[in-house]
Amino acid sequence: MGLPEYQTVMGIVNSKLDELGKISGISLLRSASMQVLSVGISLEKLKQGTKH
């Protein structure tokens, strides 16, 4: 395998890894934001509970 072919293969692999990274990054962000939301909701419930 020559150098140009190697660089082409590595470019394809890197772009696939970037796509995977974006997808997993998005899903990580989504799950993190869901956790933050659920924590916020439970904190609101605690605040309302202590008022009564």
Side-chain angles (χ1 to χ4, degrees):
M1 191 158 76
L3 199 64
E5 287 120 339
Y6 176 76
Q7 286 175 333
T8 306
V9 169
M10 286 312 290
I12 292 166
V13 168
N14 282 335
S15 65
K16 291 290 178 206
L17 283 173
D18 282 349
E19 284 173 34
L20 280 173
K22 281 174 195 158
I23 291 165
S24 60
I26 288 164
S27 59
L28 277 173
L29 278 173
R30 202 173 286 157
S31 62
S33 61
M34 288 305 290
Q35 282 176 336
V36 167
L37 273 173
S38 62
V39 166
I41 289 164
S42 54
L43 280 176
E44 281 299 313
K45 282 179 184 172
L46 278 172
K47 281 183 197 170
Q48 287 170 3
T50 52
K51 279 177 190 169
H52 295 301

